[in-house]
Amino acid sequence: MCGIVGYFGKKDAVKALLDGLSRLEYRGYDSAGVAIPDGDSVSIIRTVGKLENLKAALSTKNIKANMGIGHTRWATHGRPSEINAHPHRSGSIVLVHNGIVENYIELKESLEESGYSFISDTDTEVLAHLIRSLYRGDLFSALRDAVSKVRGSYAIAVIDADKRDRIVVTRRDVPLVLGVDDINGEYIAASDIPAALNITRDFIMLEDGGFAQISADGVTEYNPAGEIIQKKITHIDWDPVMAEKDGYPDFMLKEINEQPRTLMDTLRGKIIPDEGKIYLGELEGLKSKAGELERIVIVACGTSLHSGMIGKLYIESYAILPVEVDIASEFLQRSLPLSDKVLVICISQSGETADTKQALRLAKKRGAKVAAICNVLGSAIASEADYCIYTHAGPEISVASTKAFTSQTIVLLLFSLWLGEQRDVLGKKAISEILNDLLHIPDKLKAIFADQENIKSIALKYIHAPSFLFIARHYNYPIAFEGALKLKEISYIHAEGYCSGELKHGPIALLSDNFPVMVYAPAGTVKDKVFSAIEEVQARGASVIAVISEDAIPPSQCSDIIRIPETREELSVLLTVVVSQLFAYYAAKGLNRDVDKPRNLAKSVTVE
Ligand code: F6R
């Protein structure tokens, strides 16, 4: 759950490393460090806390170097401290690591027996000593031999402080990409693409178990067997400003506001609305099996899980196929029978979430076909699935997921319509009507953004409430969950999401004067039932923030009203969720929270 960077080139390595790390801070930010050549050796500079502290420490030194490695940490073994921060060193071996060395205790014991002593509480220090113990002058061979003894996940960048002529990298089960600019002689290894965009848009997606050496001569890539392989360069269209804040105060607000565009990016090339056509070329291999599918299991975590809950409703109503949705970590504990008549859909923005990845592997082992819905190109989940539909929402930097959710939901909608057609339960006319309505969503979102001041003032009114309830029904029920998750994770206000039909079965006991309850009640088949829930809530003196369609007559005495443009019921989630995102954002800002980097959270949860 950390970010690593390695730079080799003709420019200022300190700047390149800090630029890269600042774009990886979303992966962890409890400490950071770099190792940079300094005279005949390397200097290791490490600080606790955010990257700003490392920048300040480096600004007092005047180090000029053309290579180095860097790390931003999210602690798994050993508390955040300077001694536990990376890079770690053993003799001339200096490295940074993302992942977990599962057998570090046994490795540590055997290294201690050989005379190595440990100064940190990390699993990573084992790697430094292990590589040193195997080093006979060839860093690449030592790294290969070392990782062959390691169980667990890793992306490693290692240098020899005495030679400083190359960076050797490898990865297993966590991401690592290599940015290549042969013209300017600049090379960068990083945990994620945005970290390298200032340098290049040409990337080598290092294969799982693969290795690479980066030196002044360029990048040499090796397969897991250690054989040199032909480099395959992938050109990434994201330009550096796409990964920057674009004038917004935070990535989160930027990403919320990007949604009218990202939704169109998700749809691009996939639909001809007037003809009711959906192209999901990625699913070509599934076409012949679609009629035989007996059920679908959707597996994901957090916000991605909530989009999966909506996907279930889409698939059940458009493709008439039973669907269950499971939290990835729970799926791993179940003895759920699967077969090739079951499709498991793994949803993950990062494509690296450990539980979802393990669920994917388990599903495949049990004979199911697996489709992935991912945002990050070449990520583990995308690569390991039998089929993968990318959401094309662009880099999501803010820890709280926003634009990925709406893009995932749209992919699930398209998938359900596609499946309905393959299974002969949905005609082109019906598909065409839905797609045409979908195309109006970006404009409707703009109408919500135009009402941001209203949402902001309501959010600010309630920031001192100790607790919130979010309720809704049917399609919007997952939005009640998502609204509560968004609010709690970035504002730290306690919040719970409930189905409004469940109120009387327990949570209504919470309600008393001024207890804030956000109610999603857009136009649709369940609107009247949700309006009745509003009456019940008001009768207990609670404050209702009603999210209703533009022309709806609200139940009397709603404390606050947020109006959204009218759309078909199943698409209303794409609007109500954006209200929740903005509401959480402004509440968190009102409380002076760091919305992009909420406490205790990291963007990619790459450990179980
Ligand atoms: C919430 C949030 C998390 C993620 C979850 C899954 O805002 O971001 O709940 O949705 O950790 O992450 P991915 O989608 O990358 O698998």
Side-chain angles (χ1 to χ4, degrees):
M1 190 83 74
C2 310
I4 70 170
V5 187
Y7 173 85
F8 209 113
K10 297 192 171 129
K11 301 206 178 127
D12 179 358
V14 173
K15 182 176 179 312
L17 293 176
L18 289 175
D19 274 356
L21 289 177
S22 67
R23 297 222 177 81
L24 292 178
E25 248 194 312
Y26 72 87
R27 299 179 67 86
Y29 39 82
D30 61 40
S31 51
V34 292
I36 303 274
D38 192 6
D40 291 340
S41 188
V42 298
S43 276
I44 296 178
I45 297 115
R46 303 182 291 191
T47 53
V48 176
K50 292 189 178 168
L51 195 61
E52 292 306 315
N53 301 346
L54 180 66
K55 283 185 185 165
L58 281 164
S59 69
T60 62
K61 306 182 191 299
N62 188 24
I63 303 177
K64 293 273 170 271
N66 67 341
M67 63 94 75
I69 53 177
H71 188 270
T72 175
R73 180 168 188 251
W74 189 80
T76 56
H77 293 70
R79 65 188 178 84
S81 69
E82 195 180 326
I83 211 89
N84 288 333
H86 302 214
H88 287 278
R89 178 171 197 154
S90 176
S92 70
I93 299 299
V94 182
L95 61 77
V96 289
H97 163 229
N98 168 35
I100 288 187
V101 181
E102 286 168 12
N103 56 336
Y104 87 101
I105 291 178
E106 63 196 72
L107 290 171
K108 187 173 175 180
E109 280 169 4
S110 108
L111 286 159
E112 277 172 337
E113 275 168 28
S114 310
Y116 290 93
S117 48
F118 286 74
I119 51 171
S120 79
D121 307 317
T122 66
D123 51 340
T124 301
E125 197 183 353
V126 157
L127 293 172
H129 291 315
L130 187 60
I131 295 170
R132 182 181 175 194
S133 71
L134 297 163
Y135 190 37
R136 310 280 177 272
D138 178 358
L139 193 55
F140 170 56
S141 302
L143 178 62
R144 266 196 70 211
D145 292 348
V147 294
S148 71
K149 300 182 191 311
V150 167
R151 278 200 318 273
S153 58
Y154 50 77
I156 300 169
V158 57
I159 57 176
D160 174 349
D162 291 342
K163 293 190 177 161
R164 307 172 300 280
D165 61 344
R166 68 197 56 217
I167 303 170
V168 187
V169 299
T170 184
R171 77 169 194 100
R172 190 197 287 163
D173 280 350
V174 295
L176 190 72
V177 297
L178 299 168
V180 178
D181 177 355
D182 281 323
I183 295 169
N184 293 308
E186 283 202 278
Y187 306 98
I188 182 163
S191 296
D192 201 356
I193 288 166
L197 286 177
N198 258 358
I199 291 170
T200 183
R201 291 200 217 160
D202 289 334
F203 287 88
I204 297 170
M205 308 296 184
L206 196 64
E207 76 173 290
D208 205 37
F211 299 83
Q213 299 209 59
I214 309 168
S215 69
D217 299 331
V219 175
T220 312
E221 190 183 355
Y222 303 83
N223 65 16
E227 296 149 351
I228 294 184
I229 50 171
Q230 189 70 32
K231 289 177 294 204
K232 189 173 156 245
I233 304 281
T234 305
H235 185 75
I236 300 290
D237 280 337
W238 303 351
D239 66 51
V241 285
M242 278 177 81
E244 306 250 349
K245 289 186 193 158
D246 218 9
Y248 287 96
D250 326 86
F251 282 112
M252 184 177 179
L253 190 60
K254 168 181 173 265
E255 287 160 9
I256 293 172
N257 277 275
E258 274 175 352
Q259 290 174 99
R261 181 180 52 90
T262 52
L263 294 192
M264 294 312 289
D265 287 345
T266 303
L267 289 170
R268 211 171 298 285
K270 293 195 175 75
I271 57 171
I272 303 183
D274 290 340
E275 297 175 24
K277 282 196 181 150
I278 294 176
Y279 296 103
L280 293 176
E282 307 88 331
L283 302 183
E284 210 42 50
L286 188 64
K287 246 181 178 171
S288 58
K289 300 183 189 75
E292 294 156 26
L293 285 179
E294 287 172 357
R295 67 200 160 92
I296 288 182
V297 182
I298 298 179
V299 184
C301 305
T303 290
S304 296
L305 180 79
H306 299 152
S307 83
M309 291 165 72
I310 298 169
K312 167 188 160 83
L313 302 176
Y314 287 157
I315 297 167
E316 286 176 351
S317 70
Y318 294 136
I320 324 280
L321 200 60
V323 183
E324 61 178 301
V325 184
D326 209 353
I327 300 168
S329 53
E330 287 300 309
F331 179 84
L332 294 174
Q333 315 312 318
R334 292 170 70 190
S335 323
L336 184 68
L338 298 172
S339 72
D340 60 356
K341 303 250 180 315
V342 182
L343 178 71
V344 173
I345 303 179
C346 294
I347 310 172
S348 175
Q349 186 286 130
S350 61
E352 299 292 345
T353 299
D355 288 327
T356 313
K357 192 163 65 182
Q358 295 306 334
L360 180 157
R361 289 175 182 166
L362 181 67
K364 280 179 103 172
K365 210 161 124 193
R366 294 203 180 142
K369 286 284 169 208
V370 178
I373 298 175
C374 287
N375 194 37
V376 177
L377 206 91
S379 56
I381 292 172
S383 313
E384 291 184 32
D386 298 300
Y387 321 98
C388 178
I389 311 177
Y390 284 109
T391 43
H392 298 298
E396 194 180 64
I397 307 292
S398 177
V399 164
S401 188
T402 54
K403 62 178 180 171
F405 174 90
T406 41
S407 288
Q408 289 163 347
T409 305
I410 285 199
V411 167
L412 285 159
L413 175 69
L414 296 187
F415 171 75
S416 67
L417 299 175
W418 177 90
L419 193 61
E421 197 186 6
Q422 306 306 316
R423 294 173 58 80
D424 289 330
V425 291
L426 202 63
K428 293 233 178 291
K429 187 167 174 296
I431 296 178
S432 171
E433 282 169 10
I434 297 165
L435 293 182
N436 275 308
D437 286 347
L438 185 57
L439 285 182
H440 288 114
I441 293 294
D443 278 339
K444 294 181 190 237
L445 283 179
K446 287 178 191 158
I448 293 177
F449 295 135
D451 191 36
Q452 262 182 83
E453 279 306 312
N454 178 37
I455 299 173
K456 180 178 174 179
S457 65
I458 298 171
L460 293 178
K461 193 168 144 186
Y462 291 102
I463 53 174
H464 298 297
S467 196
F468 256 84
L469 205 55
F470 288 71
I471 60 169
R473 194 171 176 129
H474 196 28
Y475 284 106
N476 275 281
Y477 160 50
I479 303 300
F481 276 35
E482 178 58 11
L485 173 63
K486 246 358 34 112
L487 184 67
K488 73 181 115 185
E489 71 178 325
I490 60 167
S491 74
Y492 319 145
I493 300 173
H494 170 252
E496 282 190 65
Y498 258 98
C499 164
S500 55
E502 275 286 290
L503 260 191
K504 288 196 279 291
H505 301 283
I508 203 162
L510 286 171
L511 302 183
S512 60
D513 281 354
N514 305 323
F515 189 110
V517 183
M518 184 167 254
V519 189
Y520 301 98
T525 52
V526 296
K527 187 204 83 181
D528 290 342
K529 288 187 195 297
V530 185
F531 272 32
S532 303
I534 292 181
E535 304 283 1
E536 286 166 18
V537 169
Q538 277 168 346
R540 272 79 193 175
S543 304
V544 170
I545 305 156
V547 183
I548 57 175
S549 298
E550 51 204 350
D551 296 329
I553 300 165
S556 57
Q557 293 167 4
C558 280
S559 308
D560 297 283
I561 291 175
I562 299 170
R563 291 193 180 271
I564 58 168
E566 192 152 342
T567 183
R568 64 168 62 224
E569 187 172 18
E570 56 271 48
L571 300 184
S572 65
V573 292
L574 297 165
L575 306 180
T576 48
V577 77
V578 173
V579 171
S580 322
Q581 295 166 355
L582 288 168
F583 188 85
Y585 173 82
Y586 286 117
K589 290 298 276 189
L591 290 165
N592 278 325
R593 307 296 191 220
D594 183 347
V595 289
D596 282 342
K597 295 176 193 136
R599 70 182 178 205
N600 305 336
L601 290 176
K603 182 68 180 163
S604 302
V605 186
T606 54
V607 290
E608 277 181 30

